Amino acid sequence: MQELSLYPPSPEFSARAHVPDLDAYQALRRRAAEHPEEFWAEMAEKEVHWFEKWHHVFEWHPPFVKWFVGAKTNASYNCLDRHMARRGAKPAILFEGEPGDRRVLTYAELHQHVCRFANALKARGYRAGDRAIIYMPMVPESVVAMLACARLGITHSVVFGGFSAEALKARIQDLDAHLVITADGGWRRGREVRLKDAADEALAGCPGVRDVIVLRRTGGQVRMQEGRDQWWHDFEAGAAPDCPAEPLDAEHPLFVLYTSGTTGKPKGILHTTGGYLTYVTCTMKWVFDLKEDDIYWCTADIGWVTGHSYLVYGPLSAGATCVMYEGAPDYPAWDRWWEIVARYRVTIFYTSPTAIRALLKQGDAWPAKHDLSSLRLLGSVGEPINPAAWEWYHRVIGHGRCPIVDTWWQTETGGILIAPMPGAVPLKPGSATLPMPGIEAEVVDFHGNPVPDGTEGFLVIRRPWPSMLRTIWGDPQRYEQQYFSRIPGIYFTGDAARRDADGYFWILGRVDDVMNVSGHRLSTMEVESALVRHPAVAEAAVVGKPHEITGQAVCCFVTLKQGYEPGDGLAKELRQWVAHEIGAFARPEEIRFTEALPKTRSGKIMRRLLREIVTSHTVTGDVTTLEDMGVITRLASQHDED
Ligand code: WT7
């Protein structure tokens, strides 16, 4: 990826920012590096309420770590009770359903809802140490369910509502959950996503589940199993609106979130309470520069880690007002998000590059219809943001005024590890810039030795940080093997990266996405980024294809913008374009035009599937996270027609 331009923060932005300049950023980093215990103790005291203090800030016995050892706290208390005096009447959630229904929940109201639901759970015998699966649409009750569990110490695992019955069943079983909280359904592109039906199918294989609580959202017909299933409103009827939060150990398991690994079986990533809460609250200020009067909108679903850390726990712990939207960005039309930004006067907007590219493809007229002048900060997460999308986001959505925080992190890291502090760090489109305080990120070779700046290598984190995963649920061996064995004792991210002369990190994608063409290391991202700079290309996914002579050859799957037609002429032009943009060695062997790319439900392109298609012309691996199976069938059969 080449460096296009540098965007320093504007003096007006810096003047008001929590971290106003590079010196302030460097001072934080220095303190965290030199005195980590003091630094994190100070952050924990400042950002989190503790019922009892720790006797050790952290204990690191690689690969296992404990933070704030001996302390007691509660995530639900931190997100609600501690705000009551000052923020009781402040809106916590500004909710908009896809059909257009709207609700505002103040902190006091959210607190009451959570207490009532927690009391009902308590009355039914649920206690700290129990596990619950939450399989719900994007409605405020999903937040209520999470915070009610956290209040009692019930470890929750949210399963994204787009997951199939099969995926849900695997998660209920792996977690051995006795409680499932779900809904009749939710709205997506005007259609009902029938969650209870899928839950019923999953539950047929889960005899251990004792209670299924069902929220009425769509009003659709559902089957209720006598003795097991209950409506949410019946379940909590008569429960008192006041329920003290359990003082829990700082290392109490807060949630398990399943993510796909390299094998077919998903990994249950375990996050605990005190360190997680400290870190996500700090980063709300460092990265999102959150202020009391901000209207904050993270578009992620609660089913992903972004939803956990930056829609629920981070912003609510920091006392923010959060927008929550149930549905699709293109329903009823491609300006739904911009309409919402304008209606609620959103100031901070956080989304994914894949969404940005989809919106970009629809043209500038949609955002132009709405007043986006309230925006002051934009964010991006999930994959590298290609410079073309970055520039569009900056110019068309941010009107050139808003810094863009490109935030690098993972389900496993719990919070943002590499990102600009927007008042301090000049931006380079396509770079997640610099690490947070206390994050010892490095680019290393196979042996764990740092590589020179400008050279590609593996991204690792040398020291433990408060919000890191603690283990893989039920499989500590896999935890050690996956994350701490490649380079013993050091957290291996699985990403390739390069650090430039200014110390900026350029994430090049997963290491299994690295191609080697004639001995040249080439990132799939680099080629994709080049392709999407071409005016005809909407999206591109690139994989290495086995090649007799060069080892691997570059194979590109390309979708086109409206008004462009696939054809040999354009394929030739694109191959030439890439050769010109990167170098002749990068010239793609093959361009395959397609209507759509296979994506996970969180919008990540599943390159693994594309690799399988170009290698073996079939797909055998785990496809439970795939959004549209049809895409794969069409792509796989395309070869046979060739
Ligand atoms: C992988 C983690 C973190 C929440 C969403 C994804 C990629 C994530 C960036 C970024 C380049 C990024 C990495 C990482 N990734 N953010 N800003 N720039 N790559 O969580 O599903 O656990 O995926 O997403 O490859 O390892 P996840």
Side-chain angles (χ1 to χ4, degrees), residues 258-260 269 300 304-307 310 350 353 380-385 405-416 418-419 430-432 459 491 493-496 506-511 513 525 600 602 604:
Y258 287 87
T259 184
S260 6
I269 303 300
W304 310 116
V305 74
T306 309
Y310 297 109
Y350 189 33
S380 158
V381 60
E383 53 179 316
I385 174 163
V405 289
D406 177 351
T407 63
W408 178 88
W409 58 298
Q410 308 175 297
T411 304
E412 291 88 342
T413 69
I416 295 166
I418 305 179
S431 169
L459 180 65
Y491 178 77
T493 64
D495 278 340
W506 297 79
I507 311 296
L508 302 163
R510 307 293 301 190
V511 285
D513 290 337
M525 253 314 292
T600 64
S602 62
K604 225 184 282 292

Side-chain angles (χ1 to χ4, degrees), residues 378-405:
L378 304 173
S380 158
V381 60
E383 53 179 316
I385 174 163
N386 50 294
W390 197 102
E391 303 281 354
W392 185 83
Y393 197 26
H394 189 257
R395 180 173 51 83
V396 178
I397 305 307
H399 296 175
R401 289 178 292 106
C402 307
I404 297 177
V405 289

Side-chain angles (χ1 to χ4, degrees), residues 422 505 553:
F505 285 81

Side-chain angles (χ1 to χ4, degrees), residues 430-449:
S431 169
T433 76
L434 303 171
M436 292 291 111
I439 304 303
E440 298 304 317
E442 264 179 30
V443 182
V444 302
D445 64 17
F446 270 111
H447 308 291
N449 301 315

